[in-house]
Amino acid sequence: MKIPDPSQTHWRKSTHSGANEGECVEIADLNGQVGIRDSKNPVGGHLALTRQSFAALLTHLTS
């Protein structure tokens, strides 16, 4: 599976991130994987998780 170039990907900020808050993450669809990055440092790299791993992460964070 080819993962798209992150600089050419549409990243979305979390709805839980306020307009002026400092703790912000963005997510993107990376052809079957979910990309996660720091919105304050978009060129600093990203984490790519399978959809199953991303769902498990969200479950863990909300429990």
Side-chain angles (χ1 to χ4, degrees):
M1 170 186 321
K2 184 177 183 205
I3 296 176
D5 178 355
S7 67
Q8 303 298 315
T9 301
H10 175 71
W11 291 86
R12 296 171 292 163
K13 188 185 280 193
S14 168
T15 57
H16 294 282
S17 299
N20 296 319
E21 294 180 26
E23 307 285 331
C24 301
V25 296
E26 295 176 319
I27 62 170
D29 180 7
L30 300 177
N31 287 346
Q33 293 188 332
V34 178
I36 305 170
R37 72 179 185 183
D38 181 349
S39 64
K40 296 179 304 309
N41 186 15
V43 297
H46 70 279
L47 175 66
L49 300 173
T50 64
R51 293 188 184 283
Q52 295 83 6
S53 294
F54 183 68
L57 174 64
L58 292 181
T59 298
H60 177 74
L61 292 174
T62 58
S63 59

